[in-house]
Amino acid sequence: MDYLCAAVVGTVGAGVAVLAAPVLLGAAGFTAAGITAGSMAAGMMSAAAVANGGAVAAGTTVAVLQAAGAAGLGAVATAATATGGAAAALALKEALESAAT
């Protein structure tokens, strides 16, 4: 793979992931005002509460996503999201190149 092309694809993937994360969290129902009623987030919260005897435990997926939806992504979450976006973009590029040959 050409290094310049890989750098461009990875950078674009990272940027898209970081910009899309807050939008996707809000669309799923994880908002600054709390979990939106009737949303996917509400379903996840309900399932987590039932599984934990009526409460959502700190550190669970629902709790982490709600914290990110309410306060935005922190530095570590932004870096992880960017890394995941870059890796996904590069994997997609490789898959498309393999399918074309």
Side-chain angles (χ1 to χ4, degrees):
M1 178 186 312
D2 175 46
Y3 291 117
L4 178 59
C5 182
V8 170
V9 169
T11 301
V12 169
V16 168
V18 169
L19 292 174
V23 173
L24 294 174
L25 284 169
F30 297 102
T31 68
I35 291 181
T36 304
S39 66
M40 182 173 67
M44 291 175 65
M45 182 177 182
S46 175
V50 168
N52 289 315
V56 176
T60 61
T61 302
V62 174
V64 170
L65 290 174
Q66 180 51 37
L73 299 176
V76 173
T78 299
T81 302
T83 301
L90 289 169
L92 178 61
K93 179 187 179 302
E94 285 293 314
L96 292 173
E97 286 178 346
S98 294
T101 57

